Amino acid sequence: MSEARRSTSSFYRPRSTWMKRTKREWKPLEDRSCTDLPWLLLFTLFCLGMCGICGFTIVTGGAARLVFGYDSYGNTCGQRNKAIEGVRLSGLDHTDRKYVFFLDPCNIDIIQRKIKSMALCVSQCPTEKLSTYYDLKRFAMMNGSELCSYELPGHKYPQLLERFDKCPKLPVPESKALPVFNRCTPVDISCYAKFAEAVVTFVSDNSMLNRLIAGVAASKEIIVGLCLLALVLSMILMVVIRYISAVLVWILTALLVLGSLGCTSILWWLYIDYKMKMNETVSKDLKEAEEASGDIKTTKGHAQSLLIYAVSATVFTGILLLLMLFMRKRMALTIALFHVAGKVFIHLPLLALQPFCTFLALSLFWVYWILVLLFLGTSGEMGNPEKNEDTGLVEFRLSGALQYMTWYHAVGLIWISEFILACQQMTVAGAVVTYYFTRDKTKLPVMPILSSVLRLVRYHLGTVAKGSFIITLVKIPRLILMYIHNQLKGKENVCARCMLKTCICCLWCLEKCLNYLNQNAYAATAINSTSFCTSARDAFMILVENALRVATINTVGDFVLFLGKILIVTSTAFVGVLALNYQKEYTEWVLPLIIVCLFAFLVAHCFLSIFEIVVDVLFLCFAIDTKYNNGTRGREFYMDKTLMEFVENSRRSMAIEERGRSKRARPKEEVELTEVKAMAPGTSSA
């Protein structure tokens, strides 16, 4: 029998041991290994495909056509060209003709945003205003630069009948060549006023536009100074916000509660007022009541609407008060996390440079992407040069394999942009995790940000590639639906429009949720060096266990950060008004102030977004710390003193609640004990 028991216990023991081993053991910063290598390989192959497209455009001449320019017959300026089948005047030698000249540079297509004019390759841009065809002839004879179509001889310009169609529109303005791109551009840009008016739709006359532009030009030094001020204020706020977060949180709470109570009271007061008016009207004699029957119906309708609004506001206020009652203790955690986040920026000052690095990386990639896209539009024979039957000009159109390359290139824009943003999140998470789980802050790495970047490059690029690809899979359908919605605007029925907007909204919400989960997954990877899916699952379980805390931090914290953005914008605008008022010659303030406020909000958003990432990573670290450690010997907390105080206060309040429950339960136990003692003699006698 004992042997059977031993065998049975030995049979069940491995299962319990296996169950214990499958439970995640968080070992911060102990082991490092490469994660999601297949996804890194896939992302590398995708980037090689993007580079292949760029190389293809350079080899097939797309880059040369864009940089050097081409005429309306498909010839690249400054080069010897090959003839295009079926296109007259193609295949010319333009070695000496390096500049693109438009016969009518002011003929701009507002919708397509391009110049609708014949283009020629010339050896020199017109350096003076040419008012007659004799001036064109003189310019051609003196400089050897013929400004009419190639088949027209320069010495016969004034006599030819074709001069009205194939020579530039008179008068020809003075032009200068653009650097690098070699396009002849009019020195006087007044001919682009129509285009400017179309872009700036709120301007009704040119005088207003001129005043606004003059105001910006005159106050450019002040604009630059205010932009720098917004930058400095944003950096200061990230450090100072830990001191004012408590005040902001409680002010927010008080305003929210008082505002809800005030709105509810006003709605009930309006409802009672309408009811009293309606009762006074009904109490009048019958004739007056019949005459005022329409007013009675209107007043009754208003009263019913106000009743619905008042009841809804009352329900909302009641729910809000209950939430505030249950979440009041958790607001202390938000304040503590903000306080610690401020300390993080003091110990890791290079975190403030993350927005600059990310912006620089995104800008460089976007410039590269736009250039390659333009190269694709003019790529060699595959660019499909076609003759436009209406204008007789040659146009390069995307067809065949180039269309698929363009779609591939578009997907690359989204995936690589998300990859760069994800690298920022992983870098910040790695630095914050290193700060949190280092007990002695004096033993932090010399440059924690650089160490985090090196860990990312060495171990976790595959995880970042996978997370950014998931966001791309959600973003692409949303963008396609938005494009369809814009194309069908005014043509689709109400049901289709509602369905499209619903799908777009759902995909947007899904994208935001995945972004938040990805950010926490990157933090879990930085802690435990696990793959993306494992990290996402572990982070999700931690967040679910702390759902109320997450809700409090996201709602209260986001609003506090929003107030910080508003504070930076209003402070910058206030200083701008004082500066512009001091300089009396600046008569137009509107556009300079709008530019400054937009830049201030953008800068504040970039910097405080980094602060928000820091707070979220700190919360995940705190949740893991409190779950697997209890402060005893061998299981000491990693957390900061501020968070330790929060934990101690929470324990004290829980102990007080436990003592209260035990006191309430004690009288009942004493009564039951008395009844048992009273029954005891009878039982013994029996």
Side-chain angles (χ1 to χ4, degrees):
M1 190 70 179
S2 60
E3 290 293 331
R5 286 177 181 172
R6 276 197 294 271
S7 63
T8 305
S9 62
S10 64
F11 175 77
Y12 283 108
R13 191 178 295 116
R15 177 177 175 82
S16 62
T17 307
W18 176 78
M19 290 294 288
K20 289 180 182 177
R21 286 176 183 172
T22 56
K23 186 178 179 181
R24 169 67 53 221
E25 294 181 3
W26 293 83
K27 297 179 179 179
L29 307 177
E30 289 188 12
D31 300 321
R32 283 288 143 199
S33 59
C34 295
T35 55
D36 298 297
L37 284 177
W39 282 93
L40 177 59
L41 178 61
L42 178 63
F43 182 74
T44 304
L45 292 175
F46 184 86
C47 291
L48 289 176
M50 294 279 289
C51 295
I53 292 175
C54 180
F56 169 80
T57 60
I58 294 174
V59 170
T60 55
R65 282 193 180 89
L66 182 68
V67 175
F68 300 118
Y70 58 94
D71 62 16
S72 297
Y73 303 105
N75 301 300
T76 303
C77 298
Q79 295 183 2
R80 188 186 299 272
N81 297 278
K82 294 181 180 180
I84 301 173
E85 185 179 354
V87 178
R88 186 175 59 89
L89 296 177
S90 63
L92 300 178
D93 184 4
H94 285 334
T95 307
D96 297 328
R97 298 175 174 178
K98 299 180 180 180
Y99 303 102
V100 181
F101 174 72
F102 297 97
L103 301 189
D104 188 7
C106 298
N107 186 9
I108 300 174
D109 187 349
I110 300 298
I111 298 175
Q112 300 294 330
R113 295 177 296 280
K114 64 180 182 180
I115 298 176
K116 287 178 61 178
S117 169
M118 179 184 289
L120 300 173
C121 294
V122 297
S123 57
Q124 184 179 342
C125 298
T127 55
E128 57 181 337
K129 185 177 180 181
L130 306 175
S131 303
T132 65
Y133 292 106
Y134 288 98
D135 292 337
L136 291 177
K137 174 184 174 181
R138 178 176 53 82
F139 183 78
M141 294 296 100
M142 291 180 62
N143 302 293
S145 182
E146 298 177 347
L147 303 182
C148 295
S149 187
Y150 306 129
E151 71 270 24
L152 303 183
H155 63 281
K156 293 184 179 181
Y157 284 167
Q159 293 83 27
L160 295 174
L161 296 177
E162 296 92 338
R163 67 181 185 274
F164 299 107
D165 297 326
K166 298 184 178 181
C167 285
K169 183 180 178 181
L170 298 177
V172 179
E174 179 187 354
S175 302
K176 284 186 178 180
L178 287 175
V180 180
F181 291 99
N182 300 330
R183 268 71 168 179
C184 294
T185 308
V187 176
D188 183 10
I189 60 173
S190 60
C191 65
Y192 299 141
K194 182 180 178 183
F195 182 73
E197 289 175 21
V199 175
V200 190
T201 54
F202 65 88
V203 178
S204 58
D205 60 338
N206 290 333
S207 60
M208 174 62 75
L209 178 62
N210 292 332
R211 287 204 303 271
L212 290 175
I213 294 175
V216 173
S219 58
K220 56 183 181 295
E221 294 86 1
I222 292 180
I223 292 175
V224 173
L226 291 174
C227 291
L228 291 176
L229 175 64
L231 188 64
V232 173
L233 288 177
S234 300
M235 298 176 70
I236 293 174
L237 183 63
M238 288 195 300
V239 178
V240 175
I241 198 170
R242 66 178 176 140
Y243 300 110
I244 62 174
S245 57
V247 178
L248 289 177
V249 167
W250 294 119
I251 288 176
L252 162 65
T253 305
L255 289 177
L256 205 57
V257 172
L258 292 176
S260 300
L261 290 173
C263 290
T264 305
S265 303
I266 290 172
L267 287 171
W268 279 112
W269 177 76
L270 290 174
Y271 169 70
I272 293 171
D273 185 56
Y274 266 94
K275 288 289 289 183
M276 292 176 64
K277 286 183 179 179
M278 199 166 68
N279 292 334
E280 290 176 2
T281 306
V282 172
S283 63
K284 292 180 181 179
D285 54 327
L286 185 60
K287 184 177 180 180
E288 292 180 356
E290 288 177 356
E291 291 177 356
S293 59
D295 295 337
I296 293 173
K297 291 179 181 179
T298 304
T299 307
K300 192 173 182 181
H302 284 308
Q304 290 176 348
S305 300
L306 284 171
L307 178 61
I308 295 172
Y309 296 150
V311 171
S312 302
T314 304
V315 172
F316 173 78
T317 304
I319 294 173
L320 181 64
L321 291 174
L322 289 175
L323 286 175
M324 292 296 177
L325 182 65
F326 286 114
M327 296 170 68
R328 70 187 189 281
K329 295 179 181 178
R330 292 175 177 84
M331 289 183 185
L333 176 59
T334 305
I335 297 170
L337 288 173
F338 271 64
H339 189 82
V340 177
K343 289 184 179 180
V344 170
F345 279 95
I346 293 176
H347 285 87
L348 311 177
L350 290 181
L351 275 178
L353 297 179
Q354 282 300 301
F356 295 107
C357 299
T358 305
F359 179 75
L360 180 62
L362 286 173
S363 300
L364 292 175
F365 170 67
W366 288 342
V367 169
Y368 161 82
W369 187 88
I370 291 171
L371 287 176
V372 174
L373 182 65
L374 294 174
F375 294 166
L376 275 173
T378 54
S379 290
E381 295 180 358
M382 292 188 69
N384 194 16
E386 295 181 358
K387 184 177 180 180
N388 191 319
E389 298 299 332
D390 296 331
T391 61
L393 309 179
V394 173
E395 297 177 353
F396 288 89
R397 296 184 180 179
L398 295 173
S399 62
L402 283 179
Q403 290 181 331
Y404 298 108
M405 289 184 185
T406 305
W407 282 109
Y408 187 96
H409 197 58
V411 173
L413 171 66
I414 301 173
W415 191 2
I416 297 178
S417 297
E418 292 295 332
F419 178 83
I420 294 172
L421 293 173
C423 285
Q424 172 186 271
Q425 294 176 352
M426 179 68 88
T427 301
V428 174
V432 175
V433 165
T434 302
Y435 171 84
Y436 187 96
F437 288 107
T438 302
R439 298 186 190 278
D440 187 0
K441 305 305 180 189
T442 59
K443 295 182 179 180
L444 283 169
V446 179
M447 300 183 70
I449 296 293
L450 183 59
S451 301
S452 181
V453 171
L454 294 177
R455 281 200 305 270
L456 165 64
V457 174
R458 184 176 179 183
Y459 297 111
H460 304 310
L461 283 178
T463 299
V464 171
K466 187 174 183 179
S468 57
F469 181 76
I470 292 173
I471 300 298
T472 304
L473 286 181
V474 179
K475 181 165 284 188
I476 289 176
R478 182 172 67 85
L479 294 176
I480 292 174
L481 289 178
M482 290 175 64
Y483 175 77
I484 294 173
H485 180 263
N486 289 330
Q487 292 297 313
L488 297 178
K489 188 172 289 184
K491 299 177 183 178
E492 78 279 17
N493 56 32
V494 178
C495 183
R497 183 167 62 250
C498 182
M499 289 180 63
L500 274 175
K501 288 185 177 180
T502 303
C503 293
I504 292 171
C505 181
C506 291
L507 287 173
W508 181 83
C509 294
L510 178 61
E511 182 183 335
K512 292 299 179 184
C513 294
L514 288 175
N515 264 320
Y516 183 72
L517 183 60
N518 279 10
Q519 179 180 307
N520 286 278
Y522 299 146
T525 299
I527 295 171
N528 242 15
S529 191
T530 49
S531 64
F532 176 81
C533 291
T534 304
S535 300
R537 182 193 63 196
D538 296 340
F540 180 75
M541 296 304 297
I542 293 291
L543 295 176
V544 169
E545 292 172 1
N546 298 270
L548 286 177
R549 286 177 172 177
V550 172
T552 307
I553 292 169
N554 284 336
T555 52
V556 178
D558 288 352
F559 192 82
V560 170
L561 294 179
F562 176 74
L563 289 179
K565 297 174 188 177
I566 298 301
L567 177 64
I568 291 172
V569 173
T570 52
S571 301
T572 308
F574 178 72
V575 175
V577 169
L578 294 179
L580 291 171
N581 184 51
Y582 180 75
Q583 300 289 339
K584 299 296 184 181
E585 64 268 19
Y586 299 148
T587 57
E588 296 297 336
W589 294 4
V590 178
L591 195 56
L593 281 178
I594 290 175
I595 293 173
V596 167
C597 290
L598 288 176
F599 182 83
F601 185 82
L602 178 64
V603 170
H605 175 74
C606 291
F607 278 91
L608 293 181
S609 294
I610 297 294
F611 191 92
E612 185 179 2
I613 294 173
V614 171
V615 170
D616 290 337
V617 175
L618 282 174
F619 171 72
L620 186 68
C621 296
F622 170 77
I624 294 168
D625 196 10
T626 53
K627 182 176 181 179
Y628 294 97
N629 297 311
N630 56 12
T632 58
R633 186 178 182 83
R635 296 178 62 186
E636 294 88 357
F637 288 122
Y638 288 94
M639 64 185 68
D640 186 86
K641 290 182 180 179
T642 306
L643 292 173
M644 193 80 75
E645 291 175 1
F646 168 78
V647 172
E648 293 298 328
N649 292 334
S650 300
R651 286 180 174 178
R652 289 195 201 98
S653 61
M654 289 177 63
I656 293 172
E657 290 178 1
E658 288 294 332
R659 284 198 295 270
R661 290 196 196 99
S662 61
K663 286 181 181 179
R664 287 193 296 270
R666 193 176 299 164
K668 185 177 180 180
E669 293 175 358
E670 291 176 355
V671 170
E672 291 177 353
L673 184 61
T674 304
E675 291 178 353
V676 170
K677 288 180 178 179
M679 292 174 62
T683 306
S684 61
S685 62

